[in-house]
Amino acid sequence: MATPGGPRPGNAPPNYNPNALANNMQNLQINQQQSSNVGGTAHRPPNTSPFGQQPPPFTGSRPGPIPPGVFARGPMPPSNPAQTTLPPNMVPTRPTGPPPGSRPPPFASRPPPPGALPSPITGTAAPPNSGAGPRPGPFSFSPLTSGPSAPPQMSSHGQVSNGPPAFGPGMAQSGPRFPPAMGGMPRPSGGPPQSPPVLSSGPSSQPLQVRPSFGSPPAGVSSSIGQLAPPFSTPSQAPPFSAPSPAPPFSASPQNMPPPPGSSPFSPPVPGVLHSSGSPFGMQTWPPQQQQQQQVAPPPLIPGAMQKQQMFGMPPGQPPLPNQSMSLGQTGQSKIDPNQIPRLSTSSSVILHETRHDNQANPPPPATSEYIVKDTGNCSPRYIRCTINQIPCTVDLLSTSAMQLALLVQPLALPHPSEEPIQVVDFGESGPVRCSRCKGYINPFMKFIDQGRRFICNFCGFTDETPRDYHCNLGPDGRRRDADERPELCRGTVEFIASKEYMVREPMPAVFFFLIDVSMNAIQTGATAAACSAISQVISDLPEGPRTMVGIATFDSTIHFYNLKRALQQPLMLIVPDVQDVYTPLESDVIVQLAECRQHLEILLESIPTMFQNNRIADSAFGAAVKAAFLAMKNTGGKLLVFQSVLPSTGIGSLSAREADGRSNISAGEKEAHKLLQPVDKTLKTMAIEFAEYQVCVDLFITTQTYVDIASLSVVPKTTGGQVYYYYPFSALSDAAKLYNDLRWNVMRPQGFEAVMRVRCSQGIQVQEYSGNFCKRIPTDVDLPAIDCDKTIMVSLKHDDKLQEGSECAFQCALLYTTVYGQRRIRVSTLSLPCTNMLSNLFRSADLDTQFACILKQAANEIPSGPLAQVRDQATNACINILYSYRKFCATVSSSGQLILPEALKLLPLYTLALLKSNGLRTDGRIDDRSFWMNYVSPLPTPLVIPLVYPRMIAIHELDEKELELDDSIIPTSIPLSSEHISDDGIYLLENGQDCLIYVGASVQQNVLQQLFGISSVEEISNQFILEQYDNQLSKKLNAIVNEIRRQRCSYLRLKLCKKGDSSGMMFFSYMVEDKTPSGLSYVEYLIHIHRQIQSKMT
Amino acid sequence: MDFSELEGIEGLRWSWHSWPTSKPEVASLVVPLSIMCTPLTPFTELPILPYEPLNCSQCAAVLNPYSRVDYVSKIWVCSFCYRKNPFPRSYAHINENNIPAELFPTYSTVEYHLGTGTVSGLASGLVRSPSALSGLRSNSSSFSSVSAYSGGGSGLDWAGVGVAVGPAFVFVVDGCSSPEELEALKRELLHTITRLPENALVGLVVFDAMVKVYDLGFTECLKVVVFHGERELSPEQVAWCSSRVGLVSTKVHDNTLAVREGWVRNRVVLAPVPLLLSCQGAFGPPSHEAVSWEGISSTKKGFLLPVSECEFNIMTAIEDIHSSPLVKPGHRPLRSTGVAISVAVGLLEGCLINTGSRVMVFTSGPATTGPGMIVNSDLSYSIRTHRDLHNGYASYYKTSSEFYKQISHRLSDSSIILDLFACSLDQVGAAELKFPVESSGGFMMLGESFESEQFRKCLRHMFDRDDDGNLKMFFDASIEVVTTKDVKICGALGPCVSIQKKNDSVSDKVIGEGGTHVWKLGTLTSKTCIAFFFEIEHEQNAQPSSAFFIQFITKYRCSNMGLRKRVTTAARRWVGKHSPEIASGFDQEAAASVMARLAIHKAQRNLAEDVIRWLDKTLIQFASKFGDYAQEDPSSFRLSTNFPYETAFFRLMLNREGVVNSLIMVQPTLFQYSFDGPPVPVVLDVCSISPDVILLFDSFFYVVIHYGSKIAQWRKLGYDRDPSHESFKKLLEAPELDAEQLVAERVPVPKLVKCDQHSSQARFLLAKLNPSVTQNSTHTEGSEIIFTDDVSLQVFIEHLQALAVQG
């Protein structure tokens, strides 16, 4: 039983020393008190922090570099030039608001929300505020929360938000190539992220945010929200969904809120997760549309609901659940006002989140929002999110809810720059304290008894002796007196220095092996040159030091290695012709310390494109090349970065153009179509497992213009903890920058090697399955040749026993890994959640983003194994079953004509619909696109899941006009994905974390075109687009927006210009998921469909 | 006439000059009917005829002085089959007073000059003819596109410009050699390169645990193709692999080249097709093959390029070779000699250069990995000995030999020569490697160091050029034997390979390489000598004293790629039973050489002891029959029983050289230099050693100068530097001068040993002396004693006489 921590059977990881990691990830600063996370990197000596070094890369032109972990979400967009350019959202700005300490006042001072709010709310709110004073409610607005911890840091750093400094240099240089992008991000420097108005308005909103005091019954109102009674038919009722929002008060977004119709009572702080835009979570701004909003209330205590609802399992008197209902007339959708249906809203405000409060787990803010976490015992939701923030005591309860219980684990997730770094704990030779039975790691939920002499494991319940040198007396509260000084006893996430027993060998060096396709196609499309140039620039971003080793090889129908260690100036190319049974030419000298071969490498990379410029070999021996490179790396393990441009046509693991086959027998093949999404055979899988065994992680950069059978190829990255990057159709002009930035982020982002991960659960729950990009050799552990901050693993759970109501159920993810600097670490994140017997609690504490992410990932896993229709039905059924359960057991009895949605999950139908229309579940997509989609989704972090299916769309042509609003956020309010919001004279930007489409309507004003793209008519738009920055406000703003998005998404985005009437336009409209399409329902239709299904189940 | 004078005219040595007519009688001769033929004997007067020979339409014999000619009707009668052949138009002017050289009775040997390596007008015409290429590719346009691609620096250039392509040399270098050895070797190689004719093609292969083939046409950087040293590659695989890296690409060019040159016309159409098929059949998607052909030729790699084009690159590459042994403690370095040779051969095969090419292997140790390995790299396994071989303890011997035999087939198919230069203090596994070297006619040199003079001289000698600047090398030879009807051909022993071409004159009885009347030789020199064996028809109709004829037609290519055919026609007489002519026509030396070859041939299959026994038995039989003539002394040919590799070397040379040199090997010469007069030959006996003489001993492989103990003492005292002892100085110089002369002429260069009496080096001499004085015999003061169990010649002959009388 290898425990993650324990000595591992096979490959063993080695070990290292402590600080490295910290340096690596900026957030981990050990002991560096003063350096607040913010901008921490900036302070560090350049070398130490990987991220810190950004300068070189950035050279102006390339927007690319993603800033290292600096930002919570994304590294800074490379593009940002100046440091000054901090995105508005950034923390720093924020602080400006209330000075530290001021926090309490805000609450008090703020006037209650405008009358709009039902009195109850205010009432409730108020008390908390005052009373709550002490608590910096987790939900409170940042300013408020900023209180102690956050504020100071921020202030100190001033506007420099993390990362920025790093970019600084780059900025300066900016100019050349991608000038536009970088161009100046007009960053409102210093400006508080939150618009002033917010603050002012804030007061009103705050009450909402404040958690209603538990217990306060009044709140009940909330539930009402949902119920819009009347069917849509009545206009007046239009607002149905929305509860009257207290909107105005809230941040800017709130303002958009429709005035709450009086009719619908608005429930104040609803326990439910949902909250209106105003809510700190900010996730939904229901802009123009009217929606009701609810404030998020702390889950557990829900204020009473206004209406009584019968709730399953709820004791009488329980507060009603928040929900949203709309009446859908059976008669017809025509009466539905699309503007009233639930929609995603975004908020630019930053949320402060304490993971535990009053010794209670705090439900996390939405994954898509910007938040700053204070680890008060539970790990940050960045590391672990659970689909439901209360754990059902019994399996029956869970199955009744139809929801699934799963964790999304992202062990190395990028922290927000303003968060405290993870503390590193060194237990010396003996290693971390662990339960001797289940090997769970010491954590804040282990209970010390017997004067501290013994402790009870919160996982298995076993009682252990406290190691003598770890002994400490208990205080009056039953806690160890030193609990607050010991990170492992007061923090949800800590990192332990691994002792010898966690190493089977010395920690491996950081090996980067680049493998480049130089077959005819790759050369001619410029893919080879782009790859070489990207690598050449990235070399300087690789970690410094003697532990960094590099190797390079090229391949067409043969494999060409290069001896990098030579006295002679001339490189030596070593060709391996046998691609059936490959080998590697030299045992040494193919992989060399970076410091020893930097120059050679540069010369070589420069000459590769010319060396092969006349190459007429069209064949590609991908499998053999990868295998050969693997053989070269076998001794150490490491990262293998492969640049591939064509379908591997020769040698071991060669593939055939199955897509063509698929097309030719469409009639016969429809049933078998999904087979094209499976790997063609086991060859590559077998290879990949071997790679994983030797700690080789393969990342695949596919720069192609043809079908390459990603379904087969992707097995390699997937099994080895790598990922696929897909540039299709590859354009040397417009994709080179993205390639570079992707590569740069790939090597620079916080990451670890030779990792093993295991999740432990309290008794009663156990892990059922792991899913993601890794290799699994034994059931309990996940082997990760490499893991980085962008990789998420889905862990589905199951009951094996009943849990006690009132107890807590804990989950612990332990990741043993080696940092790029050769230290062996164990990162341990622990999440402890309350157990409940009440169904309503489950719905109230459901985490929409996480739930949907699980649905999405499961669908992706299912796609290759069955007919598509089945997968689509499953997705819809999952949605229906949940809603049905809610409707049946939790909602008040009401007209069957009403569709009642739990507040927390009210967007589930929209997302599910979007999922059905996504690349992966569409029938009309190219096979490769679908394969890529599936592969992309597999390790996708929760915050990126929603935008993937429901991209963000904003209007660009109006940027000028919306100047005011811009002040508070670079990115304007997003628009629902419906073509009715697209006007012919507008320009729209749509992004999903991967691609960024800019749609230009047919009758856009010429001067706008000129300003943005330097063209005078739509006809001049070319296929290959590079965003440039021109000297005008509009263009600068567009660039700023793009850069901000890049930063948020940790991705450079593929930019594409679309125009009406051609295929690019069609593609753009295919993202309008709310529209009716030939093969899919419109949003409204879909709601009706769901509603009917529920109804039929009810009867 | 002396037999050796006759040899000077015919280039032949006959064991028997008169042949009995009946089979039993032939059998009773003991020594078989045989001819030692040195095809390229340098003749003082050799007519070179600038036209094609006339062949008999029935037996393919060439017109010769023994043919009857009817000048009136312009008809000639074949002297072998009596077929009447008309003269072609070009002989229209023939008459009694105007006869072509080949009919001159004095010219038993003539040589036809069939073409030159330079492009002729006729050839260039062919290139354009699509028909010549139609078999190759569907249309001629694709051909032109190929040539278009190969624009710069590609192989086509040399073909296209009309420069004749010379012979091809692939140097196969052992990267496991020590740095010093490697330096010396590299120096020699560089020197060799500078001395090659500009049109010679060169290639470079370096091996250690892997085999690296240098791409000499790539200028961006050094580029090598790496083959795994442990994997056996089938010829198809090599072809296939090389096609993907472009090794084969020259194939295309070569075809065109061949077309231009005209004489390989038929090959052009035929050869590539099967090759293509084999590529496709064996591997890979055929569909891609077509594509890659284009691709290959365009990206032309130059693994084999004319020196003129790649001189700089190959020099750089050679200089780049560095010692790279992967040696684990307690292990021999990993050498993939077998694969290296296989790859080098593949390289040449791919290029279809049947025009003469050598694979020259330079190694300094045994193969320890992959096919053809001789010994495990683990030092705890010692290398096999003769005894191991016979007892079957040599675990790798069989598979390796098998591997090398296959190599030799490939060599012979493509007329490639394999040379082995082994400079090592350890054994290198020549026993296994011998086969391909031998059958291809390659050169084998075993030395101790690449720094040695011996090695340098050998190598330089090989690349000697004649007065016209052409290398003194001949390639791609074949020898065809035509005989009178009653004479049957049994086979041949020597550096040749039977191509299994049968006709009426081929006997069922096979001796050596038999079953054919045509043999192939990868190369030959002016000294190469082949022993041919004959027998006579059962039903003998020949009349005693009538004549029979044997014609040798040797086709070969000069290093300038000119093709020649040398025709030697010889006539002898049948004799009746018990004719004294039989005995008088016995050539003792030739017989000894022939017997030596037969003995070696047997020794390859049997234990040395058995062979010696066989020899003894044969000798007894022979002696009892021709008692008077029992002067021959096969016993002095002692099969050495030491290491297989040395033996292989010796056997190989013995099998190749002519009668005189073979005799030296069998029975070395010993000259005595003393103050008493000019050097005199002395008996090869230990008694010849005396303190006051210098002995010059020549055993072909060794030349030993042996200073008697007194002489040595004087020399040490420096008398030779004393003007008053001028004569002593001269005495010292004389054998050295003679020795140098011996050494200079001979290839392989013999090892020159200078030793003093009683020194350890003297063993080279003692080993070869007749042990008339042994530890068992009475000991005379001052003489040498040889410790041996061998019997002395005297004892031997006494025994022989006794047994012969008994017999």
Side-chain angles (χ1 to χ4, degrees), chain A residues 520 556-558 560 562-563 566 568 570-587 589 604 607 610-619 621 649-651, chain B residues 149 208 210 212 214-215 218-228 231 233 237 240-242 244-245 283-285 288 291-292 294-296 298-299 301 303 313 316 319-320 322 326:
Chain A
M520 181 169 72
D556 42 38
S557 63
T558 58
H560 327 119
Y562 299 86
N563 183 331
R566 287 165 55 85
L568 299 174
Q570 210 176 18
L572 170 63
M573 185 197 296
L574 302 147
I575 299 176
V576 175
D578 188 349
V579 292
Q580 294 298 334
D581 190 3
V582 289
Y583 42 89
T584 186
L586 294 175
E587 320 247 327
D589 298 355
L604 179 62
S607 50
T610 25
M611 282 198 284
F612 292 96
Q613 63 186 346
N614 294 321
N615 196 354
R616 307 276 164 205
I617 297 176
D619 280 338
S649 53
T650 187
Chain B
Y149 273 134
D208 41 42
M210 300 259 173
K212 295 170 215 154
Y214 280 79
D215 182 345
F218 196 73
T219 49
E220 307 279 345
C221 68
L222 277 176
K223 181 170 168 185
V224 300
V225 175
V226 185
F227 292 88
H228 199 289
R231 317 242 172 110
L233 300 171
Q237 254 170 315
W240 181 74
C241 289
S242 47
R244 9 196 59 236
V245 294
F283 297 90
H288 292 138
V291 181
S292 52
E294 290 271 297
I296 286 158
S298 58
T299 54
K301 323 280 163 91
F303 295 91
N313 277 348
T316 316
E319 274 160 13
D320 184 64
H322 54 279
L326 288 171

Side-chain angles (χ1 to χ4, degrees), chain A residues 98-99 101-111 129 143-146 202-204 206-207:
Chain A
S102 64
R103 140 193 108 186
F107 283 105
S109 65
R110 296 186 181 184
N129 291 335
L144 298 176
T145 55
S146 61
S204 62
Q206 296 187 357

